[in-house]
């Protein structure tokens, strides 16, 4: 028993010395290739065995013949271990370099191509994470391009829509100044109308800037959805009569909601004005409001004939008006963008879908507690 303990002690001392030397070597080459680290680890294992054997032989527990046999076996094991470590290291480094090249490609704006061939579990996990990151970056780049396109279109359309009334105001003011206006009162009324249009456009731009900046002030209050829809219908009735469009508000449930009354009235007003202007004469614009599984749903249905499927995802984009919405009364294409911004500020969502003969805009709001 005593001899066994001594053998274990001498073997541990020799192996521990080798382990300390191996740890120091790993620290020195920690910034080098993984192949070198694997070679050191394999060498430490074999040399630790050899050091323990030599320590035991030095203590006279092994005969010279046995020491020669053990040393030969350990030397062969060292050759095989080092060769295996080098092969493994070169394989892992090759996979790592392929992964680095693939990561560099999507970092430069391309797409991430998963390297082919088997790999370790850790590298495989890293590959999946890089593929997910690449997909998110691609989506972000697409959103950024869409926003940039939307901004350019908005600037172009706003410039066009501002130039038209300004040119009219200039011509009418010059006619009044030169005294050549046949009916000055009519000119003054037209000037007032154009100024109101410009004021509405500037107001929409200011509202949209506050929404995008996240500084839209909200003062939520508990109110009845029935009253909110009723006020919006009353406000849109003159425009509906002017266009020969029927307004229908049924069914509208008297469910409570907790919203900013002024901003939500603007949402319903924008949806109604948009629906009335897109619905032909003798058409119908219907408003419904009811409780649903996801909250309170307010829908505005028009008779516009439907929106092209490829344009549906862009309906709420800033500045989007569609190819048929180029006449001045169509506005600057900010109304629906403002609708989405205000609804999302209330933790709701705004959607649109086609129905037979028209389309339906739906606003979903959280139910009041």
């Amino acid at each position: 028993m005593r001899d066994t303990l001594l053998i274990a002690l001498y073997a541990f001392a020799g192996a521990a010395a080798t382990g300390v030397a191996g740890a120091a070597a790993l620290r020195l080459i920690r910034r080098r290739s993984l192949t070198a680290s694997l070679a050191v680890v394999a060498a430490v294992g074999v040399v630790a065995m050899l050091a323990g054997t030599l320590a035991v032989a030095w203590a006279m527990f092994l005969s010279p013949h046995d020491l020669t046999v053990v040393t030969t076996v350990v030397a062969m094991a060292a050759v095989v271990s080092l060769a295996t470590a080098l092969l493994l290291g070169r394989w892992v480094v090759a996979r790592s370099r392929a992964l680095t090249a693939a990561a560099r490609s999507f970092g430069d704006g391309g797409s991430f191509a998963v390297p082919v061939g088997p790999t370790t579990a850790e590298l495989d996990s890293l590959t999946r994470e890089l593929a997910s990151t690449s997909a998110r970056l691609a989506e972000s780049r697409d959103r950024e391009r869409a926003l940039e396109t939307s901004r350019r279109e908005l600037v172009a359309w706003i410039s066009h829509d501002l130039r038209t009334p300004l040119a009219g105001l200039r011509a009418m003011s010059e006619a009044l100044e030169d005294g050549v206006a046949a009916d000055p009162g009519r000119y003054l009324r037209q000037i007032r109308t154009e100024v109101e249009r410009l004021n509405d456009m500037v107001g929409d731009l200011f509202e949209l800037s506050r929404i995008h900046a996240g500084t839209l002030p909200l003062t939520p209050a508990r109110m009845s959805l029935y009253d909110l829809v009723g006020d919006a219908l009353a406000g849109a009735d003159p425009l509906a009569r002017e266009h020969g469009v029927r307004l229908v508000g049924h069914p509208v449930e008297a469910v409570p909601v907790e919203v900013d009354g002024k901003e939500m009235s603007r949402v319903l007003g924008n949806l109604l004005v948009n629906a009335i202007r897109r619905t032909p004469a003798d058409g119908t614009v219907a408003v419904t409001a009811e409780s649903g599984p996801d909250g309170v749903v307010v829908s505005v249905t028009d008779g516009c004939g439907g929106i092209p499927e490829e344009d549906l995802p862009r309906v709420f984009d800033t500045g989007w008006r569609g190819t048929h919405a180029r006449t001045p009364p169509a506005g600057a294409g900010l109304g629906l963008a403002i609708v989405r911004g205000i609804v999302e500020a209330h933790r709701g969502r705004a959607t649109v879908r086609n129905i037979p003969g028209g389309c339906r805009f739906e606003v979903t709001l959280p139910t009041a507690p």
Side-chain angles (χ1 to χ4, degrees):
M1 185 65 181
R2 181 174 177 277
D3 290 345
T4 302
L5 290 177
L6 288 175
I7 292 173
L9 179 62
Y10 281 114
F12 176 77
T18 304
V20 171
L26 287 175
R27 181 176 178 80
L28 290 175
I29 64 170
R30 62 184 182 277
R31 299 184 184 278
R32 298 293 183 87
S33 172
L34 180 63
T35 304
S37 298
L38 288 175
V40 170
V41 171
V44 166
V46 176
V47 174
M49 181 184 298
L50 180 60
T53 303
L54 292 176
V56 171
W58 177 80
M60 304 300 291
F61 287 100
L62 284 178
S63 65
H65 177 268
D66 293 340
L67 178 59
T68 302
V69 172
V70 171
T71 302
T72 303
V73 172
V74 170
M76 295 301 101
V79 172
V80 174
S81 298
L82 288 175
T84 304
L86 291 174
L87 290 175
L88 176 62
R90 289 175 62 85
W91 177 72
V92 172
V93 168
R95 304 306 303 166
S96 177
R97 288 175 178 171
L99 193 59
T100 301
R104 186 182 299 114
S105 67
F106 87 81
D108 294 337
S111 59
F112 180 75
V114 179
V116 297
T119 184
T120 63
E122 291 79 10
L123 290 179
D124 185 61
S125 176
L126 179 59
T127 300
R128 290 195 300 270
E129 188 62 31
L130 287 174
S132 176
T133 302
S134 175
R136 291 195 296 269
L137 283 175
E139 292 175 1
S140 177
R141 285 192 291 266
D142 291 340
R143 285 195 300 269
E144 184 178 354
R145 283 192 290 266
L147 287 174
E148 184 60 30
T149 301
S150 177
R151 292 189 190 100
R152 287 196 298 266
E153 291 176 350
L154 175 62
V155 171
W157 290 346
I158 287 292
S159 301
H160 173 272
D161 291 336
L162 286 176
R163 187 181 296 111
T164 302
L166 287 175
L169 287 171
R170 180 177 180 178
M172 288 184 287
S173 63
E174 290 177 350
L176 289 172
E177 184 179 7
D178 296 338
V180 297
D183 186 357
R186 184 174 67 85
Y187 275 54
L188 291 173
R189 288 191 297 272
Q190 185 64 28
I191 288 176
R192 180 180 179 87
T193 300
E194 295 297 333
V195 169
E196 288 177 351
R197 275 191 59 211
L198 292 174
N199 182 70
D200 291 340
M201 290 174 62
V202 172
D204 286 346
L205 284 171
F206 180 66
E207 183 83 355
L208 194 62
S209 67
R210 292 196 300 176
I211 291 173
H212 287 171
T215 59
L216 181 66
L218 295 178
T219 308
R222 190 182 182 89
M223 59 185 63
S224 172
L225 191 62
Y226 183 87
D227 296 336
L228 196 63
V229 173
D231 292 343
L233 288 172
D237 186 64
L239 181 65
R241 291 179 181 274
E242 179 184 344
H243 285 73
V245 175
R246 294 185 299 274
L247 284 180
V248 178
H250 181 77
V252 178
E253 298 181 5
V255 294
V257 289
E258 192 166 337
V259 296
D260 186 305
K262 177 183 176 182
E263 298 296 340
M264 198 51 60
S265 295
R266 182 165 191 164
V267 167
L268 296 178
N270 285 357
L271 290 177
L272 285 172
V273 169
N274 181 73
I276 292 170
R277 287 176 173 168
R278 298 295 182 270
T279 300
D282 295 330
T284 301
V285 172
V287 181
T288 63
E290 56 189 355
S291 297
D294 299 328
V296 179
V297 180
V298 182
S299 65
V300 178
T301 305
D302 60 34
C304 66
I307 300 173
E309 292 295 330
E310 63 272 13
D311 289 341
L312 280 176
R314 296 196 59 199
V315 168
F316 292 100
D317 288 353
T318 301
W320 187 87
R321 294 188 294 185
T323 56
H324 64 288
R326 296 301 305 168
T327 55
L334 304 180
L336 293 179
I338 291 174
V339 165
R340 181 175 63 178
I342 294 176
V343 170
E344 290 179 351
H346 284 84
R347 301 186 307 279
R349 67 178 184 275
T351 58
V352 61
R353 58 188 174 90
N354 285 324
I355 61 171
C359 58
R360 175 173 296 164
F361 289 84
E362 292 184 348
V363 171
T364 305
L365 298 170
T367 305

